[in-house]
Amino acid sequence: MRFNFLLLPLLLAAGCAKTGQVGSSSSFDPVPVIIAALESGAQIASVTADMAVESGDFAGCLVGDSLSAALSTGARGVAGNIEGNSLPAVSLELGDCFEIGESPESLDISGNVEGLVSASLSAIDSLVVAYSPQIECSAAAWISASIDYARGVTQAVISELSEPDGSVLIPAVEVSSCEE
């Protein structure tokens, strides 16, 4: 199955994350670490999309390119570079993917797409669990929204694979407000 080659780089990245909570240190700000994880995830997803194009894997290309865009946007939001209180809906025209063709009919679309997205986010999830006591409310809200945004790639890609129209629509995610 073509999705297998995509899992290796993602699982390698996930294996580097610490699990469990990290001891509290008042001088350490974990937000830059989480931003770096989001940016790294975006780069890894982009590389896996390129690998998918080379191997003719239409679904892998859609997941990689869409996840790269979502993680990159999420990182910008956590870093404070998006105005307002939401991550925007984005329609991606992924011409390089659509040149490949279609997803094989025998492919378990939902299971494979969900697996790829979950594997991609596992390292980031682990960092959030480890550092959550040290993250202030506003940053935590943006981080949570960014992860939800990236998880939105799952349904967006499944929809495109099920009923192709030439673009992947990643839905907007509102950032929760803090009651500090």
Side-chain angles (χ1 to χ4, degrees), residues 36-53:
L38 289 165
E39 291 171 342
S40 296
Q43 291 172 352
I44 291 169
S46 179
V47 168
T48 57
D50 292 343
M51 291 169 54
V53 168

Side-chain angles (χ1 to χ4, degrees), residues 163-178:
E163 297 178 32
D165 69 358
S167 65
V168 174
L169 176 63
I170 301 172
V173 171
E174 294 294 317
V175 178
S176 61
S177 60
C178 292

Side-chain angles (χ1 to χ4, degrees), residues 9-36:
L10 298 173
L11 292 175
L12 289 174
C16 297
K18 295 181 180 181
T19 57
Q21 290 190 347
V22 175
S24 178
S25 171
S26 60
S27 64
F28 177 71
D29 179 10
V31 174
V33 173
I34 293 170
I35 292 169

